[in-house]
Amino acid sequence: MENDRVVYIGEHLNLEQRFNSGYGVISPKNCFESFQTMNCKINNLILRSYKEKFKLELYFIKNSNKKKLKKELQSILKPLWNEKKLFLVPIKFQKLQKIQNVVGWMKWKIFGYLKNMKAESIQISLIELEKNLGFKLPKSARSYTAWWSNGGHSYLKTWMDAGYKVKVVTLGEKICFYKI
């Protein structure tokens, strides 16, 4: 759990092995040679949550039908970290990495914010959106309506994957998303 929200549901035959040599210990070998993407993804998300000072909790349930329970819980709770479309940038090149990780992190936060919304439409000021996200949007988000377009921009996939499109933009002031 992250800040009292279930964000990931997994299952494994040997929990100690999965946690201690899977999610808990990530080496470059795991991420780039044998490319264990789930271990790298969960480890990265835990690290990001920790750096954001989010409250993290870990729960274990012993069950004879792990796969069925996992599927049912994922269906009901829709944990963000289980999303296949969750955007994470792998760490590869030092200089490029910093830029990509910031952009990837921003997309991840916007996606998570919208994915957890239940409203058919969301009208929010840019100041309030930034407060909820915990960071300032790029200057281009305040200066160019194209930044909020529903086509052709790299951020568009972020709100579309979360189930929203942009309806109205009052440049530098507010944004309105609606469910698709």
Side-chain angles (χ1 to χ4, degrees), residues 41 45 80-88 108 111:
K41 174 179 152 182
L45 291 166
L80 177 64
W81 294 3
N82 287 97
E83 291 284 335
K84 286 182 173 53
K85 296 176 183 176
L86 184 60
F87 180 80
L88 287 176
W108 173 68
F111 172 84

Side-chain angles (χ1 to χ4, degrees), residues 85-168:
K85 296 176 183 176
L86 184 60
F87 180 80
L88 287 176
V89 178
I91 301 169
K92 289 187 179 178
F93 305 104
Q94 189 85 16
K95 197 168 188 178
L96 186 60
Q97 162 199 346
K98 289 180 182 176
I99 296 165
Q100 288 178 327
N101 279 346
V102 168
V103 171
W105 177 78
M106 288 170 58
K107 288 180 178 182
W108 173 68
K109 294 284 281 187
I110 294 168
F111 172 84
Y113 173 76
L114 291 171
K115 187 71 174 171
N116 288 319
M117 301 301 276
K118 303 292 184 224
E120 288 298 311
S121 67
I122 304 162
Q123 184 170 321
I124 190 165
S125 73
L126 291 181
I127 292 169
E128 174 115 8
L129 180 60
E130 289 172 334
K131 183 179 173 187
N132 288 332
L133 294 172
F135 62 87
K136 287 217 173 268
L137 292 166
K139 288 181 185 176
S140 54
R142 295 181 174 280
S143 305
Y144 304 103
T145 53
W147 197 92
W148 297 102
S149 72
N150 290 315
H153 191 276
S154 68
Y155 279 83
L156 116 97
K157 192 163 173 38
T158 307
W159 46 80
M160 301 267 302
D161 284 350
Y164 285 92
K165 276 190 171 184
V166 173
K167 189 175 186 178
V168 177

Side-chain angles (χ1 to χ4, degrees), residues 45-106:
L45 291 166
I46 290 169
L47 178 61
R48 289 175 189 203
S49 293
Y50 171 78
K51 285 181 177 180
E52 287 292 310
K53 298 185 181 3
F54 292 153
K55 181 175 93 175
L56 294 169
E57 297 175 74
L58 187 59
Y59 294 91
F60 303 99
I61 300 172
K62 189 172 183 174
N63 187 286
S64 60
N65 196 342
K66 295 175 227 18
K67 290 193 184 301
K68 182 180 178 191
L69 179 62
K70 175 185 168 184
K71 188 175 181 178
E72 287 175 0
L73 288 173
Q74 285 178 340
S75 173
I76 294 166
L77 299 171
K78 300 184 184 349
L80 177 64
W81 294 3
N82 287 97
E83 291 284 335
K84 286 182 173 53
K85 296 176 183 176
L86 184 60
F87 180 80
L88 287 176
V89 178
I91 301 169
K92 289 187 179 178
F93 305 104
Q94 189 85 16
K95 197 168 188 178
L96 186 60
Q97 162 199 346
K98 289 180 182 176
I99 296 165
Q100 288 178 327
N101 279 346
V102 168
V103 171
W105 177 78
M106 288 170 58

